[in-house]
Amino acid sequence: MAPPEEISVGQRIAAYEDVRGFSHRQLADLAHVSYSLLTKVVSGHKAATPEFVSAVARVLGVEPGDLQPPSYSDGMAADPLVPLMGPIRTTLDLYDLPPQEDVRPRPLPALRAAVRRVNALAQAADYKPMVSMLPGLLVELHTAAHEFTGEQQRQTWGLLAEAYRCGHSVGIAIGLNDLSATALARMDWAARRAGDRAPALRAAREYLRVTAYLRLGDLDACRRLQASGRSHLDGTDDKTPSALITAGQLHLGASVIAARAGETDLMKHHLEEARRVAAVTGERPDLSLHFGPTNVRVHRVMTLVEAGEHDQAVDAAKGLRLPPGWAPTRIGHHHIDLARAYRWMAKPDAALDQLDAAYAVAPQQASRHPLVRETVTALSRSAAVSWRSVESLMRLWGVGVIWLRSRSRGQNLRVNPDNTVVRKHG
């Protein structure tokens, strides 16, 4: 019997069809999905979108999770960072208490530099030092926000909002969605007090909430959050700090939602709107969003992958030069998207090259990301994968128990969770 992670969405759908007595045609009609798409998903020739899974699950009388391999958060339960989250949770929970009397905050320029530092660690997926720094910095900023006055106080509230965002970054990375949600709630609480920076910070918070709901496949929640983000920017102009940047980033988020929903015209519309904004702003690091022409091109690749246009995604990536100093997690995600495209193009070695590139630039991101987990599992089962790819998979990608078959050596190998490799007998 295959391990649970090897049973694909398509295989699970077929099994439930047999139990319920449905043909492919009957299931497609009742779920209001394309018959052609259903047959391609069942045969493993096309990826199942979250909305497709939800529609089919309703007809089959099961939960969407029953049609999917074990979740990303399940795989992160033993993450070594989880025991380190206690101080961050405590700081997030005690936000409404008076500041601690024994804390003496540094001057505003030093606090600003510290927030830049902790956000840079988050953007590099360098989580362990970030987790060590974050609780003390949050306490210091919380105290400063209560002690400072005037414009310095408003700026400090903005810095506190940016620092809270880091709790979301690590929470979503290790599968602690509750930690992510709490950190983003605190981000909004601080952002409301940040003066003229409040609109952009609050809109950015809604954009970040979208990323969490995208992983859950709840596109309706994503659309509502997008609308909320746009509402925070009502009445702003080009003098409002970071407002134009955040508006452009919201268009990029909307393009991904549209791609997931199969709304390609809407996807293209939002990409074009983002391109127009980026032509005005240029490359900007505001709020660690890294919005600009490069991010628009990267999202064009991402949305084409989400839309199933894998050849076009690879073509769109040609000639793309990532600017020096760009966020490692942004670069890593771009390589992950290309790996997904090559996987569906039946080019496993090219896919692995992209995964290797993602690991090289942001190893903690790549080793935890659910899309990497999904892609590696698929590559490990590919009959076309070369022995070089098998060796690299064994060396780098410990994603649970994976069965690897090497055509060149005719061996069946098992990679254990600790990355030890054993031969499967029988």
Side-chain angles (χ1 to χ4, degrees), residues 232-354:
H232 289 312
L233 299 177
D234 288 345
T236 61
D237 55 30
D238 56 4
K239 294 181 181 179
T240 306
S242 304
L244 194 57
I245 295 295
T246 314
Q249 196 68 29
L250 284 169
H251 278 299
L252 293 181
S255 72
V256 177
I257 297 168
R260 285 275 184 97
E263 300 169 334
T264 54
D265 288 342
L266 185 59
M267 174 192 89
K268 292 175 182 177
H269 164 75
H270 283 295
L271 287 172
E272 177 58 21
E273 290 300 309
R275 187 197 65 78
R276 292 176 186 274
V277 175
V280 175
T281 65
E283 303 288 354
R284 294 276 293 276
D286 303 38
L287 306 182
S288 299
L289 295 175
H290 297 276
F291 180 77
T294 302
N295 211 349
V296 174
R297 289 196 64 186
V298 164
H299 273 75
R300 190 177 301 280
V301 174
M302 181 192 303
T303 53
L304 287 169
V305 174
E306 293 288 353
E309 302 294 344
H310 306 113
D311 291 350
Q312 292 183 39
V314 170
D315 287 341
K318 291 178 180 176
L320 175 57
R321 294 184 178 275
L322 303 177
W326 220 47
T329 48
R330 295 283 182 183
I331 300 172
H333 204 297
H334 178 60
H335 288 300
I336 293 168
D337 288 328
L338 286 173
R340 296 167 65 203
Y342 281 122
R343 170 220 163 174
W344 286 105
M345 293 166 66
K347 296 182 178 181
D349 285 344
L352 185 64
D353 286 340
Q354 294 297 327

Side-chain angles (χ1 to χ4, degrees), residues 46-183:
K46 196 167 184 64
T49 65
E51 286 206 332
F52 172 90
V53 171
S54 296
V56 170
R58 282 194 295 270
V59 175
L60 294 174
V62 298
E63 294 296 325
D66 294 328
L67 299 180
Q68 298 169 315
S71 71
Y72 171 62
S73 57
D74 291 342
M76 295 294 103
D79 193 295
L81 288 175
V82 170
L84 306 180
M85 293 299 109
I88 293 178
R89 288 188 181 277
T90 299
T91 306
L92 293 175
D93 184 49
L94 303 184
Y95 77 103
D96 55 348
L97 296 185
Q100 298 182 32
E101 294 182 358
D102 59 343
V103 175
R104 295 292 179 265
R106 289 169 285 179
L108 184 60
L111 292 175
R112 186 177 292 111
V115 171
R116 281 199 301 268
R117 171 62 177 156
V118 78
N119 266 289
L121 290 170
Q123 293 288 296
D126 196 359
Y127 296 122
K128 192 168 183 179
M130 190 212 79
V131 166
S132 176
M133 292 174 57
L134 186 58
L137 179 59
L138 290 173
V139 169
E140 187 179 6
L141 287 165
H142 180 266
T143 301
H146 284 82
E147 291 185 357
F148 292 175
T149 59
E151 181 59 24
Q152 278 204 337
Q153 183 181 52
R154 288 187 287 273
Q155 290 187 35
T156 305
W157 280 116
L159 292 174
L160 180 57
E162 291 189 62
Y164 277 135
R165 177 240 177 97
C166 295
H168 155 75
S169 298
V170 68
I172 200 168
I174 63 177
L176 298 179
N177 293 336
D178 64 321
L179 178 66
S180 164
T182 302

Side-chain angles (χ1 to χ4, degrees), residues 190-210:
R192 291 169 182 263
R193 296 158 173 78
D196 61 359
R197 296 191 68 208
L201 282 165
R202 298 190 70 194
R205 178 250 185 167
E206 303 295 51
Y207 167 80
L208 295 169
R209 292 173 80 189
V210 167

Side-chain angles (χ1 to χ4, degrees), residues 50 72 172-173 175 210-218 260 368-370:
Y72 171 62
I172 200 168
V210 167
T211 63
Y213 282 93
L214 275 174
R215 291 194 177 191
L216 297 175
D218 190 340
R260 285 275 184 97
R368 292 179 169 93
H369 205 287

